[in-house]
């Protein structure tokens, strides 16, 4: 009997590392592992390696190829000897908010950035973190000889090769997805004239190299690009991913360039583009609210589902860790509309779910303004498991919501990329579809009212039109 080769995919995301091992021809998952990351916004990359080692322990026997999906944008700096110069600054570290503003102005404004690299940088982007480092830690910046992203660093540990892919490179702020080329001039401007080596950008199915034990390693990519690859997005599909970040994205054939900066014009992992809007506050809004209300996530669901849509008039702007969409890195959250009559645990729970999703609905509007057609929402990420989220999402988005079977979509996409590199075919392997849950679009009037109220309060508090 011949057995199909096995491939592995890794999701090194903000809160944890997940590993899946799949049948390379069908995508059927045969083994999984997981290990937690610390709750910080700067981290020694060794933590990711230790988590990968723990999550993959005993899983890789018989695996022929592996791919790494990683949290986007994180700034990993190496010295001449290959040691990290400082802990990596992650996508959700907002200290470079002013650096982002400065860089946007220095290059000539948001239009120039959108044309140059497809995106207007905010604090999440690697380029702004490099500027922050150049200004605040110039002696450390002088020691930097190579700059990598989190997935690049893990691929480098696995293969010894300094490589990346187009998808993750597109989140640096010094790579043009339209031209498929680095903008070293922008990097130098941001990093005080320094010109460290950058990873070579591999093609979508190109291999990075092999591990010491001979496993083929694919190019890897950013976590959102890997999820898109797992889901095989087509026209009309928009993903809403509720992990640490909330992301809204689709795929398209032409390079996006949104001068408002709301939609980032990323590249995907297949040769196309991945316009994406991202909030800093998603699943953790629910965990923080559950803790504040003295319950767990199941309890939060029960409370939120017991409240009426609209939470009795309560509106939460959930900017608990600052915010990226809208671009308010130093903002705090706020709760509006409190009255003695509506100040119940149920309404507070519902306001958390509605507030988190309303921010993403505004991001969806921006995606549509940029030409992305939305016929249905694919809801993924840890918080897609929440019953309250599943009840509220069809109302807030006003579209049918498809909830794929619970799965680690980022790790699956990375595994699919590994299977693609192994097969060397023109297209990624066609893996079997799962059986998603379909939630019909919810009450559009209630949804519009929620979205409108969210925008009005946002304007009132933060003066954002
Ligand atoms: N049933 C649930 N309800 C709400 N949130 C959940 C549920 N299950 C998991 N989560 C949340 O999902 C998050 C992890 O999601 P994940 O997509 O793995 O995040 P990341 O990729 O950013 O590390 C955690 O904050 C966790 O609390
Ligand atoms: O910064 C972005 C997208 O631009 C985030 O989506 C990060 O890629 C982190 O992802 P999660 O850990 O939330 O999945």
């Amino acid at each position: 009997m011949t057995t199909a080769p096995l491939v592995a995919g890794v999701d090194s995301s903000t809160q944890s590392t997940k590993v899946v091992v799949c049948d390379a021809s069908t995508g059927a998952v045969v083994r999984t592992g997981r290990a937690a990351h610390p709750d910080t916004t700067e981290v020694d990359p060794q933590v990711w390696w230790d988590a990968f080692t723990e999550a993959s322990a005993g899983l890789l026997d018989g695996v022929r190829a592996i791919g790494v999906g990683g949290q986007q944008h994180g700034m990993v700096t190496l010295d001449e000897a290959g040691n990290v110069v400082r802990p990596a600054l992650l996508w959700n570290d907002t200290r470079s908010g002013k650096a982002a503003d400065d860089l946007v102005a220095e290059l000539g404004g948001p239009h120039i950035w959108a044309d140059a690299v497809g995106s207007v940088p905010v604090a999440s982007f690697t380029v702004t973190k490099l500027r922050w480092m150049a200004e605040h830690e110039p002696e450390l910046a002088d020691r930097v000889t190579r700059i990598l992203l989190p997935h690049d660093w893990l691929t480098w540990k696995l293969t010894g090769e300094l490589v990346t892919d187009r998808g993750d490179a597109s989140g640096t702020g010094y790579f043009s997805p339209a031209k498929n080329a680095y903008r070293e001039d922008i990097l130098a401007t941001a990093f005080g004239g320094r010109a460290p080596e950058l990873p070579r950008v591999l093609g979508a199915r190109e291999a990075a190299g092999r591990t010491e034990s001979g496993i083929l390693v694919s190019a890897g990519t950013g976590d959102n690009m890997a999820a898109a690859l797992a889901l095989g997005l087509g026209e009309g599909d928009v993903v809403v991913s509720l992990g640490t970040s909330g992301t809204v994205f689709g795929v398209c054939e032409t390079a996006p360039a949104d001068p408002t900066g709301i939609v980032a014009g990323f590249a995907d992992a297949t040769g196309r583009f991945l316009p994406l809007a991202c909030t800093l506050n998603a699943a953790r809004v629910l965990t923080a609210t559950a803790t504040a209300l003295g319950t767990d996530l199941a309890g939060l669901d029960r409370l939120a589902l017991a409240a009426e849509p609209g939470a009795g008039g309560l509106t939460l702007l959930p900017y608990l860790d600052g915010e990226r969409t809208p671009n308010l890195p130093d903002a705090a959250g706020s709760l509006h509309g409190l009255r003695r009559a509506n100040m119940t645990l149920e309404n507070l729970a519902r306001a958390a779910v509605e507030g988190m999703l309303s921010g993403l609905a505004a991001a969806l509007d921006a995606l549509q303004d940029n030409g992305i057609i939305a016929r249905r929402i694919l809801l993924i990420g840890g918080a897609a498991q929440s019953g309250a989220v599943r009840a509220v999402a069809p109302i807030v988005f006003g579209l049918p919501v498809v909830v794929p079977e619970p799965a680690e979509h980022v790790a699956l996409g990375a595994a699919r990329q590994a299977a693609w590199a192994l097969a060397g075919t023109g297209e990624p392997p066609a893996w079997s579809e799962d059986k998603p849950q379909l939630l019909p679009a919810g009450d559009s009037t209630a949804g519009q009212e929620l979205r409108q109220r969210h925008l009005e309060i946002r304007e009132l508090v933060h003066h954002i039109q």
Side-chain angles (χ1 to χ4, degrees):
M1 190 180 84
T2 54
T3 49
L6 295 176
V7 291
V10 181
D11 173 9
S12 177
S13 282
T14 315
Q15 294 190 54
S16 64
T17 296
K18 303 132 194 179
V19 178
V20 298
V21 174
C22 307
D23 179 309
S25 53
T26 65
V29 176
V30 296
R31 301 192 278 266
T32 63
R34 181 187 195 101
H37 295 172
D39 181 4
T40 53
T41 63
E42 59 175 318
V43 65
D44 183 339
Q46 183 63 33
V47 163
W48 302 325
W49 183 255
D50 293 344
F52 166 69
T53 307
E54 184 185 334
S56 63
L59 297 189
L60 299 184
D61 282 353
V63 165
R64 297 263 307 276
I66 189 167
V68 181
Q71 54 177 308
Q72 292 182 242
H73 312 296
M75 180 192 75
V76 180
T77 46
L78 300 186
D79 67 13
E80 192 66 52
N83 298 314
V84 292
V85 172
R86 73 173 325 287
L89 289 182
L90 306 188
W91 67 279
N92 55 350
D93 189 293
T94 55
R95 76 186 71 179
S96 55
K98 181 177 176 301
D101 292 344
D102 292 348
L103 281 172
V104 170
E106 278 172 36
L107 206 69
H111 281 89
I112 307 284
W113 276 94
D115 287 344
V117 293
S119 303
V120 183
V122 291
S124 291
F125 281 66
T126 328
V127 71
T128 71
K129 299 176 189 303
L130 290 164
R131 164 56 65 90
W132 181 90
M133 188 180 183
E135 280 181 351
H136 292 85
E137 298 174 340
E139 304 81 18
L140 292 183
D142 284 342
R143 287 177 41 210
V144 176
T145 61
R146 279 168 277 182
I147 303 168
L148 295 82
L149 294 163
H151 112 258
D152 308 340
W153 185 82
L154 283 161
T155 304
W156 176 69
K157 288 283 283 183
L158 285 167
T159 63
E161 299 293 334
L162 190 70
V163 290
T164 190
D165 88 303
R166 191 174 157 264
D168 222 1
S170 67
T172 56
Y174 44 83
F175 176 82
S176 162
K179 299 210 165 86
N180 272 331
Y182 281 119
R183 288 288 306 259
E184 277 101 350
D185 55 327
I186 292 180
L187 170 62
T189 302
F191 206 35
R194 300 170 184 86
E197 190 184 355
L198 296 172
R200 187 164 59 87
V201 183
L202 298 174
R205 64 186 160 139
E206 209 175 331
R210 289 190 182 270
T211 65
E212 263 181 11
S213 63
I215 300 174
L216 190 75
V217 182
S218 62
T221 192
D223 54 1
N224 292 294
M225 294 77 196
L229 183 54
L231 293 163
L233 299 187
E235 191 188 275
D237 291 337
V238 170
V239 175
V240 172
S241 173
L242 304 172
T244 315
S245 63
T247 56
V248 186
F249 57 90
V251 289
C252 62
E253 302 289 340
T254 47
D258 174 16
T260 73
I262 300 175
V263 176
F266 296 147
D268 84 340
T270 68
R272 295 177 292 172
F273 298 92
L274 193 90
L276 178 149
C278 176
T279 64
L280 267 186
N281 299 283
R284 282 169 165 169
V285 174
L286 305 188
T287 41
T289 307
T291 305
L293 300 184
T295 186
D296 56 12
L297 288 171
L300 185 84
D301 271 358
R302 278 193 298 278
L303 288 168
L305 289 169
E308 292 295 321
L314 293 190
T315 299
L316 178 74
L317 297 182
Y319 308 153
L320 307 184
D321 290 312
E323 192 42 276
R324 163 165 164 189
T325 306
N327 183 20
L328 298 165
D330 302 319
S334 43
L335 181 64
H336 289 262
L338 272 177
R339 291 183 179 275
R340 195 151 48 82
N342 65 12
M343 198 171 163
T344 63
L345 295 183
E346 289 80 2
N347 283 334
L348 289 165
R350 181 100 190 181
V353 177
E354 291 180 346
M356 173 190 72
L357 291 174
S358 295
L360 289 165
L364 172 65
D365 288 343
L367 222 62
Q368 291 177 297
D369 291 347
N370 279 271
I372 290 295
I373 297 164
R375 290 200 196 91
R376 59 178 194 163
I377 300 292
L378 301 163
L379 194 64
I380 63 167
Q385 301 312 313
S386 152
V389 166
R390 290 181 185 194
V392 175
I395 301 173
V396 171
F397 295 121
L399 287 169
V401 174
V402 173
V403 188
E405 278 183 18
E408 294 301 342
H409 289 98
V410 174
L412 276 175
R416 191 169 181 215
Q417 187 196 56
W420 193 11
L422 191 64
T425 44
E427 296 295 319
W431 281 2
S432 46
E433 305 238 324
D434 67 8
K435 295 174 204 63
Q437 185 186 356
L438 181 63
L439 310 168
D443 176 350
S444 62
T445 313
Q448 268 168 12
E449 275 173 21
L450 270 178
R451 291 161 72 144
Q452 189 56 32
R453 199 169 78 200
H454 184 91
L455 295 180
E456 280 168 12
I457 308 271
R458 201 174 83 166
E459 190 179 336
L460 185 73
V461 181
H462 298 286
H463 315 292
I464 290 173
Q465 299 274 330

